Amino acid sequence: MPKLKTRKAAAKRFKATGTGKFMRRRAFHNHLLDHKSPKLKRHLKTKAVVDERDAEKVSLMLPYA
């Protein structure tokens, strides 16, 4: 059986936790940050857990994560 290939774009965007969940970064923290409050910008820096409905798709893209 051949080795499975990892989707490199997904590998750059998602990281697996020790319990097998996937972490992602939050949206809206790229640009146009002037009008956003410091509290919101601090919150957008943190990582979020990928929703369980999408986690199966992510795990298929990252077979060895």
Side-chain angles (χ1 to χ4, degrees):
M1 179 107 182
K3 290 191 281 187
L4 298 173
K5 290 217 171 183
T6 296
R7 293 210 184 196
K8 300 308 270 185
K12 293 169 188 174
R13 287 167 172 82
F14 302 107
K15 299 290 178 226
T17 64
T19 58
K21 295 179 182 177
F22 291 100
M23 301 301 287
R24 62 169 176 85
R25 63 179 294 240
R26 295 183 191 272
F28 309 115
H29 196 62
N30 272 340
H31 59 114
L32 303 176
L33 299 173
D34 282 345
H35 72 279
K36 295 173 184 165
S37 69
K39 180 180 178 180
L40 174 63
K41 289 189 275 191
R42 273 197 312 275
H43 175 69
L44 293 175
K45 281 183 198 176
T46 63
K47 302 293 185 215
V49 178
V50 173
D51 192 80
E52 67 265 5
R53 290 170 288 192
D54 297 321
E56 186 179 351
K57 295 174 188 164
V58 175
S59 65
L60 288 174
M61 291 190 277
L62 303 172
Y64 299 107

